[in-house]
Amino acid sequence: DTAVSQTPKYLVTQMGNDKSIKCEQNLGHDTMYWYKQDSKKFLKIMFSYNNKELIINETVPNRFSPKSPDKAHLNLHINSLELGDSAVYFCASSQGDRNSPLHFGNGTRLTVT
Amino acid sequence: GENVEQHPSTLSVQEGDSAVIKCTYSDSASNYFPWYKQELGKRPQLIIDIRSNVGEKKDQRIAVTLNKTAKHFSLHITETQPEDSAVYFCAASKVGSQGNLIFGKGTKLSVKP
């Protein structure tokens, strides 16, 4: 009965490949996010979607493309993977503009070799 | 934009002692300040939050204080236990930011038995 679920948990791939990470939330939240956590544990927002509409797009390379088919899903597609993309990617959701807490998924550890 | 500074980056205490983690923020319009705990290999989880209309909030052994004038807020953990060992993140956001939480860089707390 996980509130925010993302798959896969681990992803090992070679440079240049294209990969996707999926995220789903069953909390009824209207806003979903992707965060990147690097090896130093810094948590940095990448994207935010509110009701399927892109709200926040931080300075992320355009190799990263989020897609939100509905407000319960936010997937992340990454093209032409690079070594520097190796990190843990967290999906999260919240009730958008009401300053409510973020609920994180369990993370996807991406390793690019 | 908002900038959140967090200190110290590492903190080691003996079991039973208190631990204090401090954060400062730059945007005086920020009005929501959550704290997240991230255990090794797991997702960040909300442990306590405070809004700008409140100066202090307690939940059992943890408390958060907010000084709006000085733009800083602190996490206090009393009677620390080994299971409190984790990385703690402070964050700040404001209404109108679509839930865009800006995180501090984290504090690794180690509680020695």
Side-chain angles (χ1 to χ4, degrees):
Chain A
D1 192 25
T2 307
V4 182
S5 59
Q6 55 182 108
T7 55
K9 188 173 174 65
Y10 300 98
L11 189 50
V12 181
T13 188
Q14 291 185 324
M15 284 174 56
N17 284 350
D18 303 339
K19 290 293 179 185
S20 293
I21 307 172
K22 295 185 176 182
C23 180
E24 175 182 3
Q25 55 97 3
N26 63 6
L27 296 166
H29 289 161
D30 61 2
T31 305
M32 295 185 71
Y33 312 80
W34 279 107
Y35 278 83
K36 179 180 180 180
Q37 186 171 47
D38 62 22
S39 58
K40 294 183 178 180
K41 302 297 185 185
F42 299 159
L43 269 170
K44 189 169 169 59
I45 192 167
M46 301 173 69
F47 302 102
S48 166
Y49 269 74
N50 178 266
N51 283 319
K52 302 193 300 176
E53 183 181 340
L54 180 64
I55 300 298
I56 297 170
N57 182 355
E58 293 295 309
T59 51
V60 177
N62 58 14
R63 297 181 296 104
F64 291 78
S65 52
K67 283 189 171 51
S68 183
D70 55 61
K71 74 173 192 176
H73 295 83
L74 180 61
N75 304 323
L76 184 65
H77 188 76
I78 316 170
N79 289 328
S80 303
L81 278 156
E82 300 177 357
L83 293 176
D85 297 332
S86 296
V88 180
Y89 292 84
F90 285 100
C91 176
S93 72
S94 76
Q95 200 52 35
D97 208 21
R98 301 177 194 174
N99 276 341
S100 59
L102 284 180
H103 294 256
F104 285 91
N106 286 328
T108 296
R109 182 174 292 278
L110 172 64
T111 303
V112 183
T113 61
Chain B
E2 175 66 278
N3 183 47
V4 177
E5 299 282 340
Q6 182 172 347
H7 299 280
S9 56
T10 60
L11 179 59
S12 183
V13 299
Q14 286 294 131
E15 183 176 0
D17 287 351
S18 295
V20 180
I21 302 170
K22 298 182 179 182
C23 289
T24 60
Y25 60 99
S26 60
D27 189 343
S28 56
S30 289
N31 59 358
Y32 176 61
F33 308 93
W35 286 86
Y36 286 81
K37 175 184 180 182
Q38 186 178 24
E39 297 177 3
L40 188 63
K42 297 194 175 179
R43 60 191 170 102
Q45 289 191 279
L46 179 76
I47 54 171
I48 195 167
D49 57 8
I50 192 167
R51 298 173 196 276
S52 59
N53 58 346
V54 175
E56 184 176 1
K57 185 176 178 180
K58 287 183 181 179
D59 183 3
Q60 299 182 345
R61 295 186 299 107
I62 60 173
V64 57
T65 58
L66 171 65
N67 183 326
K68 284 194 298 182
T69 304
K71 290 190 283 189
H72 66 69
F73 55 113
S74 301
L75 178 72
H76 304 253
I77 307 174
T78 58
E79 301 172 27
T80 54
Q81 301 167 2
E83 51 265 39
D84 294 330
S85 297
V87 178
Y88 291 80
F89 294 94
C90 63
S93 73
K94 60 186 178 184
V95 173
S97 64
Q98 291 294 335
N100 184 9
L101 275 177
I102 304 300
F103 283 88
K105 292 184 176 178
T107 297
K108 184 176 181 180
L109 173 65
S110 299
V111 180
K112 299 181 178 179

